């Protein structure tokens, strides 16, 4: 079973990644893959790869509360009795997984980056200590939950396929809630997919101010690639959330990761250390980013980037 979320009128990227992972596990175990969608049923038709999608469309009109989502999901788990539930590491997954794990006395693996099935037992690979260690865990033979780090699998392509959609109502649940559902704010849509990019130009707090971003944006434009960022850049509203790399952002593995003014905190490294080639620009020679970088320079980014733009534009 996979928890699917819809943002900006489409299945989120991480939902498509979960379907991809879930499909492999379902094939190995010889069972169907069921999606539970918190949102519009027309989006459910694009969950190609799921055999059935259970929809709770009322989340769109009633609003959201974790109590309501946990109650709705618990009903589906009771009805379907899945071996494994996959949810994204992110606001939704963190909100739901521990509560469901307690409710069903289920094994919970957090920060999962890989799943496999060995002789009918599900194995998960989880990140520990901000990705410094990887732990292989046997999830046992009962009901287990895996909270999966975004970017851990190749997303299935969006399409319209032969998906059986079944709608469920929250009416019966709403009356019994202790917490009134509130409005769920969708992240700002930006149209970028930093997970799919083969080359990323990434920027950190070293950029100093929102107005300076255009210096690095020019390089990203010249290379024809998206710009990604560390969390402070997102927190200050200089770039929208889908650009964030790291523990609470996306996990990326581009062929080349160019970083400018990023110190290399463990939470950032967790999201990009598996890039094939890391090139770092940081004026501080002791910045931890240099411990993972294949190439590095202590030049000032404001001196280096315009030179690079000139080189790229020939
Ligand atoms: C639970 C939790 C989750 C988190 N999740 C994330 C996450 O997903 N992603 C993330 O990135 N962080 C995350 N963080 C925050 C993380 O701990 C760091 O605070 C953050 O990564 C630092 O961002 P930074 O490197 O851009 O800024 P800083 O650490 O401030 O580094 C800025 C760097 O720029 C360099 N610099 C300054 N001026 C220049 C210049 N002109 N040219 C070149 N270099 C220059 C400086 O030497 C410095 O090293 C999380 C933290 C917590 C507690």
């Amino acid at each position: 079973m996979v928890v699917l979320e819809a943002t900006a009128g489409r299945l989120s990227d991480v939902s498509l990644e979960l379907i991809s992972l879930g499909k492999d596990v379902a094939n190995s175990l010889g069972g169907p893959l069921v999606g539970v969608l918190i949102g519009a049923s027309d989006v459910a038709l694009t969950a190609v790869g799921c055999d059935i999608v259970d929809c709770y469309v009322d989340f769109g009109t009633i609003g959201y509360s974790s109590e309501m989502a946990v109650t709705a999901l618990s009903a589906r788990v009771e009805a379907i009795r899945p071996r494994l539930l996959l949810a994204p590491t992110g606001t939704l997954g963190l909100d739901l997984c521990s509560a469901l794990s307690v409710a069903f006395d289920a094994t919970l693996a957090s920060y999962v980056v890989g799943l496999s099935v060995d002789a009918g037992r599900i194995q998960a690979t989880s990140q520990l200590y901000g990705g410094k260690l990887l732990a292989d865990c046997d999830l046992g033979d009962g009901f287990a939950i895996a909270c999966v780090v975004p970017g851990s699998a190749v997303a299935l392509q969006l399409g319209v396929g032969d998906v059986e959609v079944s709608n469920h109502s929250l009416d019966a649940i709403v009356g019994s809630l202790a917490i009134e559902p509130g409005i769920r704010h969708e992240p700002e849509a930006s149209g970028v997919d930093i997970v799919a990019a083969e080359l990323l130009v990434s920027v950190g707090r070293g950029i100093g101010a929102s107005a300076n971003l255009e210096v690095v944006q020019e390089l990203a434009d010249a290379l024809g690639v998206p710009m990604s960022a560390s969390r402070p850049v997102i927190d200050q509203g200089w770039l929208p959330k889908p650009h964030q790399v790291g523990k609470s952002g996306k996990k990326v593995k581009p062929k080349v990761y160019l970083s400018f003014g990023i110190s290399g905190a463990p939470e950032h490294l967790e999201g990009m250390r598996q890039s094939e080639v890391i090139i770092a620009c940081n004026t501080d020679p002791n910045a931890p980013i240099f411990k993972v970088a294949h190439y590095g320079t202590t030049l000032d980014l404001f001196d280096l980037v315009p030179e690079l733009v000139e080189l790229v534009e020939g």
Side-chain angles (χ1 to χ4, degrees), residues 111 203-208 229-233 241 244-250 260-269 281-284 287-288 298-302:
Y111 297 106
V203 67
R205 184 155 36 201
I207 195 71
S230 66
R231 182 162 155 175
V233 172
K241 180 77 179 167
Q244 186 186 326
V245 171
K247 187 185 194 78
S248 47
K250 290 187 175 156
F260 296 98
I262 295 178
S263 60
E267 294 84 3
H268 186 80
L269 299 185
C281 164
N282 192 311
T283 44
D284 175 3
T298 51
L299 284 173
D300 188 307
L301 77 88
F302 294 104

Side-chain angles (χ1 to χ4, degrees), residues 7 19 87 109 129 153 177 207 303:
T7 48
I19 295 173
Y129 302 111
L177 295 176
I207 195 71
D303 295 330

Side-chain angles (χ1 to χ4, degrees), residues 113 127-134 200 245-247 250-255 257 259 264-279 288-294:
V113 291
Q127 289 182 336
L128 296 179
Y129 302 111
K132 284 187 180 149
L133 289 179
L134 291 178
L200 278 174
V245 171
K247 187 185 194 78
K250 290 187 175 156
K251 188 161 168 276
V252 297
K253 287 184 232 171
K255 289 200 168 129
Y257 187 84
S259 103
E267 294 84 3
H268 186 80
L269 299 185
E270 190 172 328
M272 47 62 77
R273 68 185 325 147
Q274 285 177 17
S275 305
E276 277 178 40
V277 176
I278 298 167
I279 305 172
I289 190 85
F290 291 125
K291 293 207 171 108
V292 297
H294 301 90

Side-chain angles (χ1 to χ4, degrees), residues 136-183:
D136 289 328
C137 334
D138 183 337
L139 300 188
D141 49 15
F143 173 43
I145 299 172
C147 209
V148 180
V149 176
S152 300
V154 176
L156 280 193
Q157 289 299 307
L158 269 177
V160 177
D162 198 9
V163 181
E164 186 187 325
V165 178
S166 147
N167 287 316
H168 300 269
S169 168
L170 292 168
D171 281 352
I173 298 171
V174 173
S176 63
L177 295 176
I179 301 165
E180 204 172 307
I183 299 165

Side-chain angles (χ1 to χ4, degrees), residues 154-239:
V154 176
L156 280 193
Q157 289 299 307
L158 269 177
V160 177
D162 198 9
V163 181
E164 186 187 325
V165 178
S166 147
N167 287 316
H168 300 269
S169 168
L170 292 168
D171 281 352
I173 298 171
V174 173
S176 63
L177 295 176
I179 301 165
E180 204 172 307
I183 299 165
R184 187 160 180 250
H185 295 282
E186 288 196 356
E188 207 178 315
S190 73
V192 294
D193 184 358
I194 60 167
V195 175
E198 295 204 334
L199 197 161
L200 278 174
V201 172
S202 210
V203 67
R205 184 155 36 201
I207 195 71
S210 159
N212 297 336
L213 271 181
E214 64 185 38
V215 174
V216 178
Q217 182 69 60
E218 234 179 285
L219 177 61
D221 290 347
L223 291 165
V225 300
M227 189 152 66
S228 54
S230 66
R231 182 162 155 175
V233 172
I234 309 302
D235 284 352
Q236 293 181 80
W238 298 347
L239 279 175

